[in-house]
Structures are given as C-alpha cells and as structure tokens.
RNA sequence: GCCGGAGUGGCGGAAUUGGCAGACGCGCACGACUCAAAAUCGUGUUCCCUACGGGAAUGAGGGUUCGAUUCCCUCCUUCGGCACCA
C-alpha cells in the first residue's frame, strides 16, 4: 500500500502560541489518516502484537464507558508499537441485536438502516479519540460478508456433531420475546441479562451447541495469562463435581433410574429416592391411589417459578408415589417420593436420599418420618450416640452398615482422593451397578433466538430428510429486507410469506428454512478472526493473516463477559481447532479487565437516571488529549470509579503546562545551569522513563500520568535553574514527548514537530533507560529508634553498611535517645533505612 | 451458606521484594498579578494536643517481625458470582 503524501497546505504563521487542541488534533488526525500511519500489514521482520479490545454494540452514541475501555487499550497498543512490535489494533461493531429490532417495531425504521447510520456516527466519534485503529480491518457482524461466515461456522459445528436440536424447557425473556442461554439469565430473580425482566420457562424445540463436551478443557487455563477472577468465575460456572452414577431399578416397569451422587460411599444409607416432579417415569410408576395427589403436586410445582422452588430456606415438601425402587448395593426396597427440591435441570432429575449424611435429605426424612440409617460413624462415637443426632453427619469417619466396606475410612476429600469413595467406585463398576462419573452445572449453549436481527441459522427442514445444512456454496442465507415488525414472540422470518420456502438439499423437494436466528454471542465468538481479513471471500479469514497475527496477544474488556463471551469464544476456538480450522488451544493469551465508570451519583450510567457523561462535549471543550489523559488518570483502570467532572481540570492543566514548558520562547533565566542541576534532571528523566515503562507493561495507567506530571514539575524547576537549552534539557524534552505519545498522541506529535524532529513521533522507538543515570549520588536515610523515625542522615549512595551504621550512630538525635548506652541491635536496610533497637 | 474482589485524608488515588504512609491530582485556604473577576503563578493542606515539640492513624481486633497498607488468624462493611447442585 503506497504511502500517500498529504498535500502541503501552507498555513499562516501562528500568531497565537497558546495551546489549541481543536486545531492540532484535527490537523494530525487528517495527516495520520492520509498517509495511513496505522495501517497494519504483515511484516515478518518484526515481532507481531495483536491487541484487541471488545467491540461495541452500535447504539448510536459513544459514551464515556467506551472511552474508558478503548483509550488505555489504545495507549498500550501505541506503546507496544513504539517498543518495536508490528501492532494490529482493530475495531468493529457487534451489529446484530435486539435494540435495533425493538426500535424498528417502535418506529418502523429498518434495523439495517439504523445500524449502519449508528455505525457511521460512532466511527466518527471514535476517530475524534485519535486511536490507532486500523479502519481497513473494520468488521461489522451484521454485514452479509461477515454473517455469511457466522453461518458457515454454524455448519462446521453441525458437521462436527456439536450442533443439535432439542425440545426442552428453556429460559424465555417475555420482554425481549426470545429464548436466552443459561449464561444470559442473571441474579437471584433470574432476570434477562439485557433488559432485566425476569425470565420464564417455555418448552421449545431449539438449537444447541454441545459446549459441555469441552467442559473439562475449559477448566484448564494453562499457558494463558488471565485474571484469577475470570478463571474463578468460569470455573465456578462450569462447576465440575466428581462422583458416581448409579442405577436403581423401579419395582414397577423394571426401569433403570440413573442417579448422580458425590457420595457413593453412603449408598448403604440410601433409604428412599426422590424424583423431580417432572421426571419422565413419575406418571408410570405412581400407584393408582396416589395418582390424583401426585398430579396436584406436579401442577403446583410447575406453577412455581424456579426461584421460588430454589429458595434454600423453604420448607421442603414432597409426596409418596406409592412406588418402590431397589437399592442395588443391599437389595433394600426403598420408597420413591417426588419433591420440588430435586431439579430436573441438574444431574438426572432423580436422587438417592441419604438422610443420615445429607442435610436436605435429613430434613425431608424427619418431616415425612422416613428411615434414617447412619453409615459413616465418626471415630469414637457409638451407634447409640449417633442415633441421637438431630442433624446429618457430613464429616469424616468409618463406614458402618455398609456390607463389604464396614471399617473403611472416609475423609472429607472429594472423588477418588477419598479412600471410602475410591473403594466403592471400583466395587460398583465390578458389580455393574454404576460407574465413576463427573457432573457439571454447565449447560450446552442455546443458540436459537426468535428474532429477525441476527445471523440466520442455515438449516433446512424437509419432511423426508429432517434437518440438513444449507449447502455451503449457497451461503449466505440473506435476511430478507421486507419484513413486518411485530412483537409476537416469533421470528418475523417465520411470518414472512415466502422467505422460509426453499428446497431440500438432499432430495430437492419443497422444504422450509429455520426461521430462528443465532444468539449474537455467536457473531462475537469469532470477530477477532474476521479482523484479520474482513474482505476475504474464500473463507472466514485469510490463512496467511491468521498464521502471522493469531493468537490475540492482549485482550481487554469488561469482566461482565466472564461467563458469557469469554467462555463462548474459548469453546468456539477449541471446537474449531478440533475441526482443523484454527490452531492452538486458546484464542487469547493475555486478558485484562477494566472496571466501570459510574455516574457522579455512584450509580451505573443510564439515560433514565440522567447521569450519562458525554465524551463529545468534553472533547469539544478540552480536546481529546486531555480527555484521554483524564480517563487514564482518574481511577485505577481495573477498578473503575464514579465520574468526577471537576477532576478533569487536573489533566487539562497538565497538558497546557507541558505545552507552555515546550513552547515558551523566553526561559526565566539566562544563568546556565550547574552540573548538579542537569545531573539531577537527567536522573529524574530516566527514573521516570523506567517507571512509565513498567507501568505500561502492567496496565497501571493512572501512575503513568502522575509520573509524567511529577517530571514536568521537575522540569519547570530545572528550567528556572537555567537548564533550558542544555543537551540534558533537549534529551529530557525528547524523552518526555515520547512518553506522552501513547497517552496524548496529538500534542505529542505537534511538540515533536515543533522540536524540529522528523514525522512521526508514533514511529519512533521507545527510549531506553540509562540505568547509570538513575543512580543517586547520595541518599537520605530515615533512622528509626524502636520503630519510630527520629532522624534522617544523608550518606553517599555507595556507602557500606558499616559506614551507614556509624553515620547513624554519630547522629546527635540518636545519641540523645541512646543516653550513652549501647544499642541492642542496629539493622541497616541498604538504600532504605536504619533501624536501631535500644 | 459457599467462592472471589475491595476497604488508606474532604474526594480520586500512590507506596514495585516487609523499610520514610498519603506521591500525583481534585477540592479548599492564603498570597501575587488585576480596577475587579476569570485564567495563570506561588505557598499551605491526614487528624489531635499544651504546637519550639509531641502523639495517633491505612475498616476493627490480635499475631509474626527491629520494622506491617504489605505476611498470618478472627471479625465487620461493601461489591460481584454461585446456590435445595444431589
């Protein structure tokens, strides 16, 4: 790509030397764009760095939260660029989704039109930020050339046996009029992650991705540098538990009822079974005389929401079915109950109840007078004593009443680490009554959405041949433009008169298309791949680009996606790795999360609360550089903070004062600086450089700005002392502007140019710390006596421990405290302090 | 109930390996400039006292250490996640 020269526009010589961000920011943005400063192309002579920040939904307005996420990410990408990396820092839009469709229902404006208008506006707003986004690589998930490949990926998942259709009770948001994946239902009241409406259950035939196949691998985070909190959230979300699956037989029908238990060592204590009211065997096994009561209980349980059923402190209720099962370890006949504390959605929907060693089962047994048999005895406790218990016993002990295992030790470890469990696991396998088993809370990913504005699910249904994917050469399945906007709870695609009619790819007979669209998290699971080659049409990405840029080196974004996007994209990557489409085990090597900017009132920013901060207004008033600097300065990035509208004055002053320091032609003194002044200045410059470098590495953006402020204050003092014009001064200026460049790219470029340096500062190498220059000549050490600072001594930096010690002891103050006595102990922490114990 | 993060001046925050707590900034006060104001520049700004000097203080209490914001234990507050999970 040839570098275009900007037409040399003759500007009038500046009359006004004062800082005018509106002029210089526009000037440099135009120049950078004109000569494609931020175009990232493969360059095998350089190490690559793929910096990715989560892409926004095109709501139509860039708010301060976007700046908070993007500006530090941009600054760091710029820093990496100056460190010599070939940096890819792309941007795009997660452009499918409900808001645009809901707006269409409201006012009839087509989501396509609105979305692309919004993108237009936001792209312009983003450009005012002065970020180094490579817009040639922009990807928009709602564009056909993008969603063609989202559809293609669905087919690859289908071919890999990872996409399946199932009728089940799924979560439905009555406000969004669509189903949601388990991850998208939040909180105690089980509300929709997007709109906050409590969800309900609906029985629907839906497409799922078999994410659970990767549960174990998703628990491994080897080789990736991700925050512990995210790893913990994902681990808890998947919630692996080790145990056994054991088969109990029903008397009636001789059905095999599989149960999951984490405590196979307590099998001999299973004195009854509890089925979830929805369990498929309930109707058949229920005795005639119990039928009516059971039906009533089922109806009542179904009427309750899962929240009500899930309330842990709720009094347990249940009902005897009249049926019995056989405990396979001791052939005991045990009653089968139904109770709503057993959930169809976890495990198998049926449990063995061991009241002696499980609190819930104990409470249930007490209430309904069911037998309680203790099979784990704490050491030193007699059977009689145990019979007195009024709680379940869950601690360690010895197995009793357990046939061949009497006397076996049980500890509190889970799974095979527990000797009792390990022994029973082997035995049940031998006996053929059960096996070692792992259960997860993690569910398969429900991908179907009953909405229009999403990527079509590229599947066709034929009476003869059931479901088949759309042939790949017919992709994309395009969204029809002429649809009616009705909030019916069914996809508008279903109501379209002709769109769904097609032919079966197997037999060619008339068939119908799937009218649901995909969860937009499917689009964002692979956007980092589309950035590699957004115009490529032979595949989702150009393999040459993939081989050079992937994996993502640094990924930044909000932690709210811990169990959604960040889990989906890992699953997606692993599934596509196994399909031979991508390489490596993980898509993103390093992850860092930013916090959230809250409103002044400490509340989440929202239009309805009227606490939204508009960055455009700030940019108009102060310039993008000052806003960028404030964003990075005002809070710890990973923590976030409520917005303080006054605080921005601090960074505005800093930027102006730097401007003045560099452009004021009349230094305050003509007296040349002493060697000491220049040496001290140079020391401070290199110390600051070391600090700023380290802070960029560690994503500690706030202290980058404060260090730069500190150095500026020192430079003002040095200038006062005559340092201006010296070589040290020139070096200080040069390093200073380079350090500013990632944070405040426009003013840095302008000052760089005014220093007479060649365009562009953003292609300059990051300066190197002169370690020798950072060394202090003499250091002031505090002297502590019994832990309190009583004096300070100044010693040469290279003073030995003994020299420091005698200097400290020689101090008058120390002598006074010693009162002529010998100190008990003198500790010299070199370069830190002297501690004297009297 | 379980898991994880956080708690430091009026406010945002700093303190890198256990070594001077409060860097840097906001705000505030005073001063300079000005007819005046804004802007700008300068000085001060944790709290308490009898103020030359001394004492206390990093959510609370305890411990380890010459020395703890930092490590350990108990607890409190707060935010987030999970939860009749078998």
């Amino acid at each position: 790509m040839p570098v275009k020269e900007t037409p040399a526009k003759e500007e009038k010589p500046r009359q006004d030397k004062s800082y005018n961000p509106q002029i210089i920011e526009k000037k440099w943005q135009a120049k950078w764009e004109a000569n494609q400063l931020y175009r990232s192309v493969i360059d095998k002579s350089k190490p690559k760095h793929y910096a990715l920040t989560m892409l926004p939904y095109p709501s139509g307005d860039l708010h301060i939260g976007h700046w908070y996420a993007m500006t530090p990410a941009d600054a760091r990408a710029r820093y990496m660029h100056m460190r010599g990396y070939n940096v890819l820092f792309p941007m795009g839009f997660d452009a499918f989704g409900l808001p645009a469709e809901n707006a269409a229902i409201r006012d009839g404006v087509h989501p396509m039109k609105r979305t692309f208008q919004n993108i237009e506006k936001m792209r312009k707003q983003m450009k005012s930020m002065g970020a180094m986004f490579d817009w040639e690589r922009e990807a928009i998930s709602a564009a056909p050339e993008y969603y063609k490949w989202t559809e293609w990926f669905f087919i690859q998942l289908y071919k890999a046996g990872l996409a399946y259709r199932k009728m089940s009770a799924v979560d439905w948001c009555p406000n969004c009029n669509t189903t949601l994946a388990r991850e998208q239902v939040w909180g105690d009241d089980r509300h929709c992650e997007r709109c906050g409406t409590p969800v309900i259950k609906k029985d629907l035939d839906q497409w799922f991705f078999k994410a659970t196949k990767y549960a174990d691998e998703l628990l491994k985070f080897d080789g990736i540098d991700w925050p512990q909190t995210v790893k913990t959230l994902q681990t808890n979300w998947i919630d692996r538990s080790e145990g056994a699956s054991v088969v109990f037989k029903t008397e009636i029908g001789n059905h095999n009822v599989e149960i999951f238990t984490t405590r196979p060592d307590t099998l001999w204590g299973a004195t009854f079974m509890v089925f979830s009211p929805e369990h498929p065997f309930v109707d058949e096994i229920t005795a005639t005389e119990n039928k009516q009561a059971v039906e009533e209980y089922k109806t009542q349980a179904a009427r309750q929401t899962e929240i009500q059923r899930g309330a842990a402190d709720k009094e347990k209720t249940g009902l005897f079915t009249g049926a019995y099962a056989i405990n396979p370890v001791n052939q005991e006949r045990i009653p089968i109950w139904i109770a709503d504390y057993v959930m169809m959605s976890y495990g198998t929907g049926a449990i063995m109840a061991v009241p002696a060693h499980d609190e819930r089962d104990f409470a249930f047994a007490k209430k309904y007078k069911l037998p309680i048999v203790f099979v784990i005895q704490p050491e030193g406790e007699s059977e009689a004593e145990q019979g007195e218990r009024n709680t379940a016993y869950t601690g360690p002990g010895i197995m009793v009443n357990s046939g061949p295992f009497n006397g076996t030790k049980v500890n509190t470890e889970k799974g095979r680490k527990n000797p009792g469990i390990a022994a029973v696991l082997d035995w049940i396998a031998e006996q053929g009554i059960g096996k070692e088993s792992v259960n997860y809370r993690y569910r398969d990913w429900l991908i179907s959405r009953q909405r229009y504005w999403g990527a079509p699910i590229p599947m066709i249904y034929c009476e003869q041949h059931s479901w088949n994917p759309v042939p790949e050469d017919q992709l994309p399945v395009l969204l029809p433009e002429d649809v009616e906007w009705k909030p019916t709870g069914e996809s508008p695609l279903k109501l379209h008169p002709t769109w769904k009619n097609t032919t079966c790819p197997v037999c060619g007979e008339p068939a119908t298309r799937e009218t649901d669209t995909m969860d937009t998290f499917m689009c964002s699971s692979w956007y980092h791949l589309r950035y590699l080659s957004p115009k490529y049409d032979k595949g989702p990405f150009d393999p040459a680009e993939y081989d050079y840029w992937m994996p993502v080196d640094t990924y930044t974004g909000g932690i709210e996606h811990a169990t959604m996007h960040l889990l989906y994209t890992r699953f997606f990557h692993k599934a596509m790795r196994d399909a031979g489409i991508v390489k490596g085990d993980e898509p993103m090597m390093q992850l860092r999360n930013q916090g959230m900017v809250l409103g002044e009132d400490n509340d989440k920013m929202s239009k309805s609360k009227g606490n939204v901060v508009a960055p455009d207004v700030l940019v108009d008033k102060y310039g993008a550089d000052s806003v960028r600097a404030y964003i990075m300065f005002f809070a710890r990035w990973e923590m976030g903070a409520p917005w303080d509208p006054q605080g921005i004055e601090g960074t505005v002053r800093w930027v102006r004062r730097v401007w003045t320091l560099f452009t004021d032609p009349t230094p305050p003194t003509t007296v040349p600086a002493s060697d000491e002044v220049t040496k001290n200045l140079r020391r401070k410059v290199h110390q600051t450089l070391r600090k700023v470098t380290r802070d960029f590495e560690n994503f500690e953006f706030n202290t980058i700005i404060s260090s730069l402020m500190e150095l500026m204050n020192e430079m003002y003092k040095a200038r006062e002392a005559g340092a201006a014009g010296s070589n040290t001064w020139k070096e200080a200026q040069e390093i200073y502007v380079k350090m500013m460049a990632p944070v405040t790219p426009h003013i840095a470029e302008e000052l760089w140019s005014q220093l007479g340096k060649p365009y562009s500062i953003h292609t300059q190498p990051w300066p190197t710390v002169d370690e020798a220059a950072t060394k202090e000549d003499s250091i002031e050490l505090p002297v502590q006596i019994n832990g309190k600072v009583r004096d300070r001594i100044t010693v040469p930096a290279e003073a030995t421990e003994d020299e420091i010690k005698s200097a400290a002891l020689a101090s008058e103050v120390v002598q006074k405290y010693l009162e002529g006595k010998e100190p008990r102990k003198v500790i010299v922490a070199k370069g830190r302090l002297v501690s004297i114990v009297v």
Side-chain angles (χ1 to χ4, degrees):
Chain A
M1 196 67 69
V3 173
K4 283 181 227 150
E5 282 299 315
T6 26
K9 227 191 281 169
E10 280 306 315
E11 277 184 36
K12 274 184 248 164
R14 279 172 156 288
Q15 297 298 314
D16 183 9
K17 292 290 281 179
S18 71
Y19 173 58
N20 190 332
Q22 275 66 34
I23 291 172
I24 63 166
E25 289 179 3
K26 284 205 181 64
K27 176 175 96 180
W28 290 114
Q29 281 169 17
K31 178 146 184 178
W32 297 333
E33 196 169 335
N35 54 36
Q36 308 204 342
L37 189 65
Y38 302 125
R39 189 75 185 87
S40 319
V41 291
I42 293 175
D43 177 354
K44 289 188 176 156
S45 70
K46 283 183 185 170
K48 66 92 185 181
H49 179 78
Y50 188 172
L52 183 67
T53 177
M54 290 181 187
L55 85 178
Y57 174 80
S59 58
D61 227 337
L62 204 64
H63 60 77
I64 205 73
H66 292 118
W67 276 71
Y68 192 70
M70 292 173 185
T71 310
D74 174 59
R76 193 155 187 290
R78 287 171 171 281
Y79 161 78
M80 292 303 279
H81 186 242
M82 291 176 83
R83 289 305 302 248
Y85 288 91
N86 187 24
V87 173
L88 173 58
F89 186 53
M91 184 44 66
F93 294 93
D94 188 15
F96 274 136
L98 294 178
E101 186 171 346
N102 291 340
I105 293 167
R106 217 164 44 237
D107 59 24
V109 177
H110 197 284
M112 175 70 89
K113 190 179 169 198
R114 182 188 305 273
T115 300
F116 281 82
Q117 277 172 353
N118 286 352
I119 287 173
E120 197 69 28
K121 184 175 177 200
M122 286 176 81
R123 198 190 289 126
K124 207 174 148 198
Q125 287 176 312
M126 276 190 230
K127 286 185 175 176
S128 80
M129 194 188 281
M132 63 174 294
F133 298 127
D134 177 1
W135 289 104
E136 296 290 312
R137 291 179 181 270
E138 181 192 55
I140 298 169
S141 65
E145 61 269 24
Y146 186 109
Y147 73 74
K148 171 182 178 176
W149 301 108
T150 308
E151 294 172 7
W152 182 85
F153 275 120
F154 182 98
I155 294 170
Q156 307 316 307
L157 286 159
Y158 179 80
K159 283 185 181 165
L162 293 169
Y164 66 93
R165 199 173 158 86
K166 187 177 83 175
M167 168 65 86
S168 64
V170 294
D171 294 306
W172 173 272
C173 173
N175 182 46
C176 294
N177 268 317
T178 185
T179 53
L180 299 173
R182 178 66 190 86
E183 290 78 17
Q184 294 153 28
V185 178
W186 283 18
D188 290 346
D189 59 346
R190 295 180 47 78
H191 62 264
C192 167
E193 168 264 328
R194 272 214 91 95
C195 72
T197 310
V199 302
I200 57 172
K201 286 280 183 193
K202 265 197 180 186
D203 287 315
L204 288 170
D205 220 1
Q206 302 277 284
W207 288 100
F208 291 84
F209 288 151
K210 212 178 267 177
T212 50
K213 188 183 168 193
Y214 289 89
D216 276 326
E217 204 192 333
L218 289 167
L219 288 168
K220 287 190 207 125
F221 299 93
D222 303 335
I224 59 173
D225 170 18
W226 280 33
Q228 188 53 49
T229 45
V230 174
K231 294 193 276 189
T232 304
L233 284 170
Q234 293 198 348
T235 303
N236 291 346
W237 184 256
I238 294 167
D239 192 20
R240 179 192 156 98
S241 70
E242 291 178 13
S245 85
V246 182
V247 175
F248 286 60
K249 283 208 188 290
T250 60
E251 263 187 350
I252 300 166
N254 197 31
H255 288 294
N256 287 335
V257 181
E258 195 182 333
I259 58 105
F260 174 76
T261 177
T262 55
R263 295 293 307 273
D265 53 322
T266 63
L267 263 164
W268 285 262
T271 51
F272 59 101
M273 291 187 83
V274 186
F275 285 19
S276 163
E278 298 89 2
H279 196 281
F281 293 157
V282 170
D283 286 343
E284 189 187 331
I285 60 168
T286 301
T288 321
E289 64 270 29
N290 300 64
K291 277 242 168 5
Q292 199 191 336
V294 166
E295 274 315 309
E296 278 168 18
Y297 188 84
K298 280 175 69 173
T299 314
Q300 173 232 320
R303 223 184 291 126
Q304 292 187 43
T305 63
E306 220 171 283
I307 327 146
Q308 287 165 331
R309 279 182 62 173
D313 47 4
K314 199 186 80 170
E315 168 97 10
K316 295 193 183 2
T317 63
L319 204 65
F320 180 43
T321 61
Y324 288 85
I326 303 302
N327 183 336
V329 299
N330 56 13
Q331 312 311 314
E332 295 276 341
R333 193 168 174 258
I334 60 175
I336 299 172
W337 286 62
I338 58 170
D340 61 6
Y341 81 90
V342 175
M343 307 287 162
M344 204 58 222
S345 56
Y346 185 81
T348 61
I351 61 161
M352 67 170 194
V354 184
H357 305 289
D358 180 280
E359 295 293 352
R360 293 154 303 170
D361 298 343
F362 189 91
F364 195 82
K366 278 283 179 203
K367 180 166 176 185
Y368 294 107
K369 309 220 163 22
L370 291 158
I372 299 171
V373 175
F374 284 89
V375 291
I376 310 290
Q377 202 167 61
E379 263 175 285
E381 191 173 293
S382 71
E383 207 169 330
E385 282 168 335
Q386 207 167 20
E388 313 269 300
R389 282 184 179 279
N390 51 14
T391 55
Y393 178 71
T394 55
I398 304 291
M399 289 173 72
V400 294
N401 300 321
S402 297
F405 293 97
N406 287 338
T408 308
K409 272 204 169 121
V410 171
N411 59 30
T412 53
E413 294 279 356
K414 296 185 169 149
R416 283 221 165 252
K417 283 182 215 142
N418 189 322
I421 293 176
V424 175
L425 284 175
D426 292 338
W427 186 80
I428 58 169
E430 262 168 49
Q431 301 290 310
I433 55 175
K435 59 176 197 291
E436 188 165 358
S437 166
V438 176
N439 196 51
Y440 304 89
R441 201 180 66 93
Y442 192 41
R443 303 285 83 171
D444 281 343
W445 179 8
L446 195 169
I447 208 80
S448 305
R449 296 292 178 273
Q450 292 66 44
R451 299 298 301 233
Y452 165 80
W453 193 231
I457 294 174
M459 297 296 290
I460 294 169
Y461 182 75
C462 164
E463 296 275 325
Q464 291 295 309
H465 301 98
S466 185
W467 289 99
N468 282 289
V470 173
E472 289 178 26
D473 59 7
Q474 290 173 26
L475 298 181
V477 176
L478 286 170
L479 285 170
E481 287 194 27
D482 52 334
V483 288
E484 281 200 66
W485 312 112
K486 282 180 186 160
T488 57
E490 296 214 80
S491 169
L493 295 175
K494 200 168 184 174
L495 307 173
H496 190 281
T498 56
W499 184 81
K500 64 172 181 269
N501 301 324
T502 184
T503 52
C504 172
V506 180
C507 65
E509 293 297 312
T512 53
R513 293 187 187 282
E514 169 64 67
T515 56
D516 285 347
T517 53
M518 282 184 246
D519 182 2
T520 56
F521 280 110
M522 177 64 178
C523 311
S524 56
S525 288
W526 73 282
Y527 75 106
H528 56 286
L529 299 174
R530 194 60 190 167
Y531 283 152
L532 299 172
S533 49
K535 296 170 191 89
Y536 191 70
D537 62 2
K538 296 182 195 69
F541 53 83
D542 181 342
E545 297 277 345
Y546 185 97
D547 288 343
Y548 181 73
W549 293 109
M550 281 293 287
V552 172
D553 295 284
T554 297
Y555 193 29
T556 56
I559 198 163
E560 65 275 15
H561 286 293
T563 57
M564 301 194 295
H565 163 63
L566 291 171
L567 201 49
Y568 295 138
T569 197
R570 289 181 69 218
F571 154 71
F572 180 92
H573 183 91
K574 289 171 192 298
M576 289 302 99
R577 172 204 59 197
D578 290 347
I581 293 164
V582 300
K583 296 166 193 168
D585 293 334
E586 294 284 346
M588 290 113 183
M589 302 316 285
Q590 182 186 45
L591 175 72
R592 291 294 181 270
N593 299 114
Q594 80 268 352
M596 216 193 302
V597 187
L598 302 173
E600 266 181 79
D601 52 4
N602 217 346
D603 245 329
K604 205 170 161 173
M605 278 192 197
S606 79
K607 272 185 193 158
S608 57
K609 287 186 195 116
N611 58 358
V612 175
V613 175
D616 293 7
V617 178
L618 297 171
V619 172
D620 286 346
K621 190 168 174 195
Y622 302 111
D625 282 335
S626 292
V627 179
R628 290 174 61 104
Y630 185 52
I631 285 283
M632 293 172 67
F633 178 67
F634 93 105
R636 264 147 83 175
W637 191 57
E638 76 278 15
M639 301 296 289
W643 184 257
D644 173 5
Q646 266 183 333
I648 195 169
E649 297 294 344
T651 48
V652 169
R653 275 179 208 138
W654 168 61
V655 168
R656 278 207 210 111
R657 270 162 60 79
V658 171
W659 178 269
T660 307
L661 180 69
F662 278 66
T663 59
D664 187 351
T666 51
T669 174
T670 50
V671 183
S674 64
D675 287 353
E676 204 196 338
V677 167
T678 53
K679 192 172 183 186
N680 288 343
L681 173 61
R682 188 146 196 275
R683 181 185 304 123
K684 185 71 182 175
V685 168
H686 283 272
Q687 285 175 344
T688 305
L689 176 59
R690 186 168 57 195
K691 163 88 175 139
V692 167
T693 305
R694 187 170 47 211
D695 288 351
F696 266 119
E697 293 295 332
N698 297 335
F699 300 80
E700 286 164 8
F701 302 107
N702 55 340
T703 48
I704 290 172
I705 316 292
S706 46
S707 305
L708 289 173
M709 287 173 169
E710 235 178 290
L711 175 57
M712 177 191 67
N713 291 339
E714 286 300 313
M715 284 178 72
Y716 264 99
K717 283 182 201 149
R719 194 175 73 142
E720 203 76 33
S726 65
N727 286 338
T728 303
W729 182 256
K730 286 175 189 154
E731 186 203 15
Q733 285 190 312
E734 202 170 300
I735 292 177
Y736 200 95
V737 181
K738 285 182 183 173
M739 289 192 290
M740 281 182 98
V743 179
T744 53
H746 313 88
I747 188 177
E749 188 79 282
E750 177 67 24
L751 293 175
W752 187 248
S753 132
Q754 291 197 22
L755 289 173
K757 306 282 183 185
Y759 174 81
S760 156
I761 185 145
H762 301 297
T763 55
Q764 293 296 313
W766 190 251
T768 312
V769 179
D770 181 349
E771 288 294 340
T774 64
K775 295 227 161 63
E776 309 275 351
D777 297 329
S778 62
I779 44 176
E780 197 189 59
L781 293 180
V783 180
Q784 287 186 349
I785 293 161
N786 291 341
K788 285 200 195 323
V789 177
R790 297 296 184 185
D791 197 15
R792 283 156 212 285
I793 55 168
T794 303
V795 294
E798 64 277 11
T800 64
E801 261 186 47
D802 283 344
E803 285 164 353
I804 295 169
K805 193 170 165 180
S806 28
L809 291 174
S811 132
E812 270 179 44
V813 181
V814 172
Q815 284 302 319
K816 195 183 94 191
Y817 277 93
L818 278 176
E819 296 165 335
K821 284 173 280 185
E822 276 296 301
R824 283 221 317 237
K825 206 169 176 184
V826 180
I827 295 134
V828 177
K830 262 192 106 180
R832 300 286 189 186
L833 54 44
V834 182
S835 184
I836 296 168
V837 190
V838 183

